[in-house]
Amino acid sequence: MSRKAEQIDDLVAEGTRELLARATDSRGLDEAAISPRIRQVVDKYLLKDDANTSTESIESFMEELLADDLCLVVACERSDQTAWDDLVERFSVTVKSAARSATSNEDAAEDLAQSIWAELYGLRIRVDGTRASKLAYYSGRGSLAGWLRAVVAQLAIDQHRIQSRLVQTEEDADFDRLASDEESTAHAAAMGTGDPEQALTDKFAGEEIQGALARSIQELTDDDRLLVKLYYFDDLRLREAGAVLGVHEATASRRLNRIHNDLRAAVQRVLINEQGWTKAEAERAFSEVALHLETEFEPLLASQGVPDERAEVS
């Protein structure tokens, strides 16, 4: 073994110990159980493209791996029934919600969700006696919930392609567009310009955020939607926007702050209760939406309609 290889092995061993230490539940795993997975991920995402990746980059990369999610997945792969029960309990809503988004009706969504759990459990046995589970592809780089949503989407595409060879459905165009998007992300990764796993995860997460935001905007009053439009899109100052609404500048400022808080709470409620997101994912999602307020909000405001301005700006 070369000196470089030994150095990387030492880095992975240390990174594994640190990951197990920061996990709130290591699932009883030891270094021998999880270090091969970490080495696999380091090879795939760092060393494959640059065999001379710096020590600092490798250490930083391992520090960002999600310890609890990775330990849960590895424990499931090792036939830990308690870990598997926890996985199903924690992510059933996530899988079912993603299945509904990718299918046309409740029966199809139920079938897709059941297929996903079978794929994750691994019904086929390898030559070495281990189960061939899709969990083997989870890297720990992003949230397990986000990765599961991408897995659901990919399986929906695969199933549609098989079925479409036998019968054409009225949903072919939508699925073909979805498949094309998936292939584009894979091509980008092959060209060194992207990561298909992360790209597909982001794509479906973005659609769920957009849906949650649209519903949250529906819950705003007409006056609140008008204030958002006047301030963010018509470039009125708070004093001017307040004049349109017949309120003082200070009142308009307080109302705008309340609207922001109401939207945050509403978006997070939809994502957590209905889409199976974790609280941390939902909070991060709204922060990202806030950074792109104009591109996210303006079309939604237009689709909901905004009341006519009822007073002249003085």
Side-chain angles (χ1 to χ4, degrees):
M1 181 182 296
S2 68
R3 184 173 181 178
K4 177 66 174 179
E6 290 180 355
Q7 182 184 29
I8 292 172
D9 283 345
D10 289 342
L11 286 172
V12 169
E14 179 60 30
T16 300
R17 288 191 288 271
E18 292 180 355
L19 181 141
L20 290 171
R22 70 172 186 269
T24 57
D25 186 352
S26 64
R27 305 283 170 176
L29 299 173
D30 57 16
E31 184 180 335
I34 203 165
S35 61
R37 181 58 148 269
I38 296 179
R39 178 57 190 263
Q40 179 187 49
V41 173
V42 168
D43 285 343
K44 178 179 179 179
Y45 292 101
L46 292 181
L47 301 179
K48 180 180 178 180
D49 295 325
D50 182 7
N52 294 314
T53 300
S54 69
T55 297
E56 292 76 14
S57 295
I58 295 174
E59 290 175 338
S60 177
F61 178 85
M62 291 188 294
E63 287 172 0
E64 294 176 359
L65 296 178
L66 300 182
D68 286 315
D69 283 354
L70 195 56
C71 286
L72 174 60
V73 165
V74 172
C76 287
E77 290 182 287
R78 294 171 66 85
S79 302
D80 182 326
Q81 187 59 45
T82 299
W84 176 257
D85 291 343
D86 288 348
L87 180 75
V88 174
E89 181 179 357
R90 284 177 54 191
F91 297 104
S92 285
V93 173
T94 298
V95 169
K96 189 62 176 292
S97 173
R100 288 195 185 102
S101 299
T103 54
S104 59
N105 58 64
E106 190 66 22
D107 287 341
E110 183 64 33
D111 288 344
L112 179 58
Q114 291 300 321
S115 296
I116 285 295
W117 289 115
E119 294 277 357
L120 294 174
Y121 186 78
L123 298 181
R124 182 170 58 84
I125 305 299
R126 298 189 181 94
V127 176
D128 63 3
T130 62
R131 296 196 305 268
S133 166
K134 279 191 178 294
L135 290 173
Y137 297 102
Y138 177 65
S139 65
R141 298 169 64 239
S143 74
L144 183 52
W147 180 81
L148 286 170
R149 286 191 286 271
V151 170
V152 172
Q154 288 174 320
L155 184 59
I157 293 168
D158 291 342
Q159 289 183 349
H160 170 75
R161 283 173 168 162
I162 294 172
Q163 294 167 359
S164 65
R165 294 191 184 102
L166 304 175
V167 60
Q168 293 294 312
T169 71
E170 61 185 14
E171 296 168 339
D172 282 350
D174 289 338
F175 271 98
D176 288 344
R177 172 183 53 76
L178 194 61
S180 177
D181 290 344
E182 179 193 3
E183 289 165 350
S184 295
T185 58
H187 175 72
M191 299 300 291
T193 58
D195 174 359
E197 175 187 306
Q198 192 60 47
L200 195 60
T201 299
D202 292 345
K203 168 180 164 53
F204 284 94
E207 291 178 356
E208 291 184 350
I209 294 169
Q210 188 79 357
L213 188 58
R215 285 186 50 186
S216 300
I217 286 176
Q218 286 180 343
E219 296 174 4
L220 294 177
T221 66
D222 288 347
D223 279 356
D224 285 349
R225 287 200 301 274
L226 177 57
L227 178 57
V228 170
K229 176 182 181 297
L230 293 172
Y231 183 74
Y232 286 108
F233 309 115
D234 294 345
D235 294 325
L236 268 62
R237 289 171 292 185
L238 278 173
R239 178 183 62 80
E240 298 167 331
V244 172
L245 292 166
V247 299
H248 189 273
E249 177 181 357
T251 301
S253 177
R254 289 193 297 270
R255 184 178 295 178
L256 196 62
N257 185 63
R258 176 188 51 77
I259 292 170
H260 185 275
N261 291 334
D262 287 349
L263 284 174
R264 176 188 294 275
V267 168
Q268 291 180 6
R269 184 173 63 251
V270 172
L271 292 176
I272 294 171
N273 295 340
E274 300 182 22
Q275 304 293 353
W277 290 44
T278 65
K279 183 178 180 181
E281 284 183 311
E283 290 176 346
R284 183 169 60 251
F286 189 86
S287 297
E288 292 171 356
V289 167
L291 291 175
H292 306 284
L293 191 61
E294 294 188 13
T295 58
E296 296 288 349
F297 270 124
E298 190 166 24
L300 295 174
L301 284 169
S303 68
Q304 296 303 318
V306 176
D308 293 334
E309 298 175 11
R310 294 161 300 170
E312 294 295 329
V313 179
S314 57

